[in-house]
Amino acid sequence: MGLNWHRWVVSAFLLVAWALILDTGEICFCMGGKTSDFLRNDYLSLDMPIDSDTFRVPPGYNAPQQVHITQGDHVGKGVIISWISPHEPGSSTVIYWAENSEFKWQAHGFFLTYKYFNYTSGYIHHCTVHNLEFDTKYYYEVGIGNTTRQFWFKTPPPVGPDVPYTFGLIGDLGQTYNSNRTLTHYEQSPAKGQTILYVGDLSYADDYPLHDNIRWDTWGRFTERIAAYQPWIWTAGNHEIDFAPQLGETRPFKPYTARYHVPYKASDSTSPLWYSIKRASAYIIVMSSYSALGKYTPQYKWLEKELPKVNRTETPWLIVLMHSPIYNSYVTHYMEGETVRVMYEKWFVEYKVDVVFAGHVHAYERSVSSKFLIILTLQLLYTKDEYSLHLQDLCALIVVSFILYIVSMIFTLNFGLRY
Ligand SMILES: *[C@@H]1O[C@H](CO)[C@@H](O)[C@H](O)[C@H]1NC(C)=O
Ligand SMILES: *[C@@H]1O[C@H](CO)[C@@H](O)[C@H](O)[C@H]1NC(C)=O
Ligand SMILES: *[C@@H]1O[C@H](CO)[C@@H](O)[C@H](O)[C@H]1NC(C)=O
Ligand SMILES: *[C@@H]1O[C@H](CO)[C@@H](O)[C@H](O)[C@H]1NC(C)=O
Ligand SMILES: [Fe+2]
């Protein structure tokens, strides 16, 4: 690197900026606004016991349980409906109909089972429903022939630039009392999320002795109250790996991939662990932090072809989901996302990814490209009532930010706040 000196210059400016910011005491860089009044309890929460109301088995012979849906094609006209029959295979058929229609359609899926050490799963059904109308409420029934249960979902509006849509964002949910509070909070949120972007770590069953897969079932029943009614866009986390050679379990992601199907073939992916979808005005790319991602690997080659395909006129929002964050200043999992950052940060900048959502680190943090520093500074100006800010500090901040901005323009540096 011949241009190392400019890094020093920029670092010096950053330092000055930080010093000024720290000097004012109450100001931080996270000025994206206040998103919620919700505050989680500070203490670690215990897992809900196995006989909790949240894990209740639905009544009736062979009643479908753990019902969940996700997008089933690339544009949102398809839905994958999944559920588990506990007693016998039963039927893999889904009956569905549009809200204002008498006509009932049928779609036929399939079921599978898997074993994990001495655990044998129930009959896991997956059925993809295709060619739905956009922006339409559909009812659907599963468990045909035995105990039938009815649910509903709403398809998204057609893909396009001016299509408002509300995504919820959840990760690392687990099955503690706090997990239950998280779902309740989402249900009661006035923003009314229409689809959940799920950034990995689902059940945490692997924290139990022998990776007790019964905890995958309890998690499926726990999340059904939302996941049966709106799609969750799945991302694999470290708790999905379930690699346990001591138990003879050497196929990574076995329970996760058996239970949670995603439309990866629709985006020419060869693995359910990385894929993309379009939904409303967003193009969503899902990556796997725990699969090979170096040069020439399948994930690398897929992403290399995928990014140029995104048409920002059609989907102005480009969102990437992954489990491990590429920037993290918290002590836990510090720098675990570094391999992904080294490989892909350059592409994220080049293709102007709007936002990368990640989970894994249980401490909320967001960062923004330093090119936005000046914008943040201006934002400070407008929120000065809330934050005691001295005028001279503000002026200095603006000047420093402006110089920084010019410097970053000159060198077209796309450095993050912590490069
Ligand atoms: C699996 O093995 C464990 C430990 O040996 C035992 O406690 C558990 O009951 C077994 N489960 C099944 C389904 O056999
Ligand atoms: C449950 O459903 C299956 C498949 O539809 C059927 O063959 C079976 O007879 C049913 N069992 C009972 C007890 O209704
Ligand atoms: C979970 O939350 C719901 C409210 O959304 C409540 O009815 C239920 O009792 C809670 N269960 C547990 C085990 O916390
Ligand atoms: C991108 O999307 C716009 C709007 O849908 C469309 O008019 C245009 O043809 C697309 N461009 C390409 C290269 O496909
Ligand atoms: Fe994690």
Side-chain angles (χ1 to χ4, degrees), residues 117-120 210 214:
F117 188 57
N118 66 352
Y119 167 92
T120 305
L210 310 172
I214 283 168

Side-chain angles (χ1 to χ4, degrees), residues 48 52-54 177 180 184 187 225:
M48 294 182 282
S52 298
D53 53 1
T54 38
Y177 288 100
N180 196 33
T184 305
E187 289 168 323
R225 73 184 205 238

Side-chain angles (χ1 to χ4, degrees), residues 299-313:
Q299 182 166 211
Y300 177 97
K301 290 195 155 191
W302 175 79
L303 192 61
E304 187 181 34
K305 281 177 111 177
E306 178 68 11
L307 284 167
K309 285 185 192 167
V310 183
N311 179 346
R312 302 302 283 272
T313 311

